[in-house]
Amino acid sequence: MAAYYFDASAVVKQYVDEAGSGCVRQLLDPDAHHEIHMAAIGKVEVVAAVTRRWRSGGRAPSDARSLIHEFQSDLKSRWFVAEMAESLLDEATELAVTAGGSTALEL
């Protein structure tokens, strides 16, 4: 058993067939007993991604609704959702701008 963090683009691969879906589904196999974590904002991003596919003609409305309902149901049992305080997000944003380089970007 291992713990993984999935961003929304990885979570979507569980519900939509695309490149990388097979790898994601292997990690999510219940027999693997992995813990899969995602950020709370991912709840919005996953629904938005499925909705964008429907709007672009990639999904029928009933199919998109079904995928969204499946994801929302899985939120209760499959995903460990990390809530994030505004102060943590602010600090992470600042680190993204200042860390890892010799010159800081002024915002």
Side-chain angles (χ1 to χ4, degrees):
M1 179 174 116
Y4 294 93
Y5 171 81
F6 280 16
D7 68 5
S9 67
V11 174
V12 167
K13 294 176 187 322
Q14 170 65 15
Y15 304 96
V16 176
D17 290 326
E18 59 184 28
S21 290
C23 292
V24 166
R25 291 176 183 149
Q26 281 183 324
L27 290 171
L28 289 170
D29 183 332
D31 292 335
H33 303 287
H34 296 310
E35 287 183 6
I36 309 295
H37 300 259
M38 64 180 289
I41 191 65
K43 295 187 284 187
V44 176
E45 294 171 334
V46 170
V47 171
V50 171
T51 301
R52 272 193 309 276
R53 288 176 194 245
W54 161 67
R55 287 189 179 128
S56 68
R59 292 269 172 210
S62 60
D63 189 26
R65 278 192 295 274
S66 176
L67 292 173
I68 290 168
H69 288 299
E70 181 182 354
F71 167 66
Q72 290 172 331
S73 175
D74 287 348
L75 280 170
K76 299 173 185 135
S77 61
R78 174 171 283 195
W79 304 103
F80 290 87
V81 179
E83 300 296 331
M84 296 184 184
E86 190 68 29
S87 60
L88 177 62
L89 293 172
D90 290 344
E91 184 177 339
T93 300
E94 184 63 26
L95 283 172
V97 172
T98 60
S102 58
T103 305
L105 178 65
E106 294 294 325
L107 293 181

